Amino acid sequence: MKVYTFELNEAKTAKLIVTVSNVMPFFQITPALIHVPGGGFMFCSESDTVNIASRFTGKGFGVTCTYLYPVAKDYRFPQVIIDLCKCIKILREHAAEWGINPKQIVISGNSAGAFICMTTGNLWNRPEIMEGAGCSGEEGKPDAIICGFGPMFCGQQTDTNIVYVPNGELVGPQTPPTFFH
């Protein structure tokens, strides 16, 4: 097992923690999971992630990750969406090295994390999101989403004000298959 950490911004308020269980002699091409923990946008519940990651590893996911997003006064929309697209892009860039099927990258989240995942699935192809994430095509697009008890709509803090994000109205052909529980 190997663990890698990627800082997603200069302020070091967001990071991706990657756990690669896919090592020799068991190496094979598998799906990957990025989990976005809940915490009401005030904190990231890392224990939430440990439980999810261990379950998915047991189901054949060779790479499980945690996206720790900026919280409380550091939380900003749409930066969290841009950062999650960056996380997906990182996995695709390392797919061969870590044994990831680049067409099977799943994002999951509970509560606030579910909102971030659903919004990422709905907005990943917006020009400003793609540009911010350094994407030119579908490298920042999730292949599937799992949402646990997350809000479908929510007011979000931007750099200048609060915007309303109605996820239910944003679902379209760009939205990957999504499972709600």
Side-chain angles (χ1 to χ4, degrees):
M1 176 182 304
K2 293 184 180 180
V3 177
Y4 303 91
T5 301
F6 295 85
E7 297 290 345
L8 300 171
N9 62 34
E10 289 181 23
K12 298 186 179 190
T13 57
K15 63 182 158 184
L16 175 67
I17 301 169
V18 179
T19 303
V20 180
S21 303
N22 211 356
V23 295
M24 295 299 182
F26 306 105
F27 189 85
Q28 60 181 325
I29 304 301
T30 71
L33 171 77
I34 301 171
H35 186 69
V36 184
F41 308 106
M42 297 305 291
F43 65 93
C44 288
S45 175
E46 291 186 57
S47 63
D48 174 38
T49 298
V50 171
N51 294 332
I52 299 287
S54 64
R55 287 183 186 151
F56 275 78
T57 300
K59 298 291 183 188
F61 281 67
V63 176
T64 56
C65 311
T66 304
Y67 165 44
L68 297 175
Y69 52 90
V71 295
K73 66 177 179 51
D74 295 323
Y75 182 89
R76 288 292 180 274
F77 181 86
Q79 189 60 49
V80 292
I81 308 310
I82 291 168
D83 287 346
L84 186 50
C85 288
K86 285 181 188 177
C87 294
I88 296 165
K89 183 180 178 205
I90 289 168
L91 293 188
R92 288 205 168 97
E93 289 169 347
H94 292 276
E97 175 188 353
W98 296 338
I100 296 170
N101 180 337
K103 296 180 191 251
Q104 291 184 322
I105 298 177
V106 178
I107 58 175
S108 74
N110 291 329
S111 191
F115 175 83
I116 293 169
C117 287
M118 190 68 226
T119 308
T120 300
N122 286 332
L123 301 181
W124 68 269
N125 65 340
R126 298 271 173 104
E128 65 276 13
I129 302 294
M130 291 177 67
E131 181 181 338
C135 297
S136 59
E138 294 190 352
E139 61 266 43
K141 177 187 179 185
D143 295 300
I145 305 169
I146 302 169
C147 294
F149 53 90
M152 281 305 297
F153 54 89
C154 193
Q156 292 288 288
Q157 180 66 48
T158 69
D159 284 334
T160 56
N161 62 357
I162 294 179
V163 297
Y164 176 72
V165 181
N167 265 319
E169 297 171 20
L170 298 172
V171 172
Q174 81 288 358
T175 306
T178 304
F179 174 76
F180 292 92
H181 64 91

